[in-house]
Amino acid sequence: MIPLRISPVILLSENKVIKTKQFKFDRYIGDPINSIKIFNQKNVDELIILDKSAINKNMINFQLLKDMVDEFTRPISYGGNISNIEDAFKLINLGIEKLIIGRNSFDYDFISKLINLFGSQSVSVCLDIVNVNNEYFLFDYKNNLVKNENLQKHIKVLINLGIGEIVINSVNHDGMMMGYDTELLSKFKELNCELIALGGMGSLDHIVEVINNTNIKAFAIGSYFLYLTKLKSVLLQYLSLEDREYIIKKINNGHNYV
């Protein structure tokens, strides 16, 4: 039985839940505590919290995270300005199960220390990737900068360090609800590492498309779980049993997902 991991994403900015489109155009969604209570009631598999303000201000809001963790009974991953061991310990002690490293993913010594301290299963990396003229590059959100780094080499180094999983976050598809960038995701199908697709989910068929064309079976989802329809009336929701059954029936690779 192969587990199908589906994780809502709560994006924070200035202590509010927001949603972006292509990393811009922040839209207010709601209160963080109310939002996490709703997802807890809906029995989500796990939850991802990403904090833009922590990146912009170089400061993690530990009190807000503690309040959120206290309202949630399932695993939480957190990303946002994790840049030193002291903060990493604070997050783990708060109850954060997995640390998501973003802009500091090139600090291989830091990544290695985190893995040695907490284990590979507790350390993840989120790579923000942008398509420019049909080429893929890493994107530095804070400095609004396209980085001319060797993406494949970077990922291989992270895997050799023992990273637990890698979130592939498409900047171009963020908030568009037009489907995942399967061309991007398929570039990593041979990697020996757990991958999570983020950016573009707008229908159940978009999940099916990724599963049928890549080895990815984990998905982080923002807009689809925040809006009632593509008209984008705010309504927090999660997959129903019928939704899962639909996905499983549409998978064509013969695996038995749960």
Side-chain angles (χ1 to χ4, degrees):
M1 302 288 277
I2 301 175
L4 183 63
R5 294 172 56 200
I6 308 289
S7 307
V9 176
I10 289 181
L11 180 61
L12 299 175
S13 181
E14 302 296 338
N15 302 332
K16 298 183 284 288
V17 178
I18 64 159
K19 186 67 193 81
T20 57
K21 291 179 68 174
Q22 297 181 326
F23 280 38
K24 299 176 287 187
F25 312 115
D26 294 7
R27 179 183 177 183
Y28 175 74
I29 298 297
D31 174 74
I33 305 302
N34 288 339
S35 298
I36 204 165
K37 284 181 178 179
I38 292 171
F39 281 128
N40 191 56
Q41 292 169 356
K42 293 185 178 299
N43 297 318
V44 305
D45 294 341
E46 52 191 286
L47 188 74
I48 294 174
I49 299 173
L50 302 175
D51 192 347
K52 286 180 60 177
S53 294
I55 299 170
N56 293 332
K57 297 181 179 180
N58 294 318
M59 181 176 62
I60 299 173
N61 189 335
F62 290 102
Q63 185 58 55
L64 176 60
L65 287 176
K66 180 182 184 304
D67 293 341
M68 295 179 74
V69 169
D70 287 346
E71 297 293 342
F72 199 71
T73 58
R74 291 164 188 82
I76 294 179
S77 301
Y78 169 81
N81 196 49
I82 304 175
S83 57
N84 59 73
I85 299 299
E86 181 181 357
D87 284 351
F89 267 110
K90 286 182 181 179
L91 290 167
I92 294 294
N93 289 335
L94 279 181
I96 298 297
E97 183 165 298
K98 190 168 296 182
L99 308 172
I100 302 176
I101 310 302
R103 296 181 66 247
N104 293 308
S105 69
F106 280 91
D107 188 344
Y108 298 136
D109 183 59
F110 178 54
I111 298 287
S112 181
K113 287 179 179 177
L114 290 176
I115 292 172
N116 289 333
L117 284 168
F118 306 115
S120 293
Q121 77 285 347
S122 295
V123 185
S124 176
V125 161
C126 182
L127 301 179
D128 301 329
I129 301 176
V130 62
N131 184 323
V132 180
N133 297 324
N134 294 319
E135 291 188 63
Y136 291 104
F137 301 91
L138 288 168
F139 181 72
D140 181 344
Y141 151 74
K142 184 175 183 179
N143 297 307
N144 194 30
L145 178 68
V146 176
K147 303 179 70 173
N148 191 23
E149 303 282 354
N150 189 316
L151 181 58
Q152 293 283 356
K153 180 181 178 181
H154 179 46
I155 291 176
K156 288 179 180 178
V157 172
L158 291 171
I159 292 174
N160 288 335
L161 288 175
I163 200 73
E165 66 184 16
I166 298 174
V167 181
I168 305 296
N169 186 13
S170 169
V171 175
N172 304 77
H173 288 238
D174 170 54
M176 304 304 290
M177 300 183 74
M178 299 299 291
Y180 291 96
D181 188 340
T182 52
E183 181 180 349
L184 167 64
L185 298 172
S186 64
K187 291 180 179 295
F188 310 114
K189 64 191 303 181
E190 304 301 326
L191 294 178
N192 185 27
C193 180
E194 180 83 4
L195 300 177
I196 300 178
L198 173 58
M201 162 71 168
S203 75
L204 299 179
D205 287 318
H206 293 154
I207 290 179
V208 173
E209 180 184 15
V210 172
I211 294 174
N212 285 340
N213 291 281
T214 75
N215 68 344
I216 293 175
K217 55 185 180 293
F219 300 85
I221 298 170
S223 297
Y224 188 78
F225 288 150
L226 300 176
Y227 300 129
L228 178 60
T229 66
K230 289 187 178 180
L231 295 177
K232 298 190 174 181
S233 302
V234 174
L235 178 67
L236 273 62
Q237 54 195 321
Y238 191 59
L239 294 184
S240 65
L241 178 60
E242 291 75 17
D243 291 335
R244 286 186 179 271
E245 291 175 346
Y246 176 86
I247 293 170
I248 292 168
K249 287 178 181 178
K250 297 277 280 189
I251 295 171
N252 64 18
N253 58 14
H255 288 307
N256 190 5
Y257 284 80
V258 294

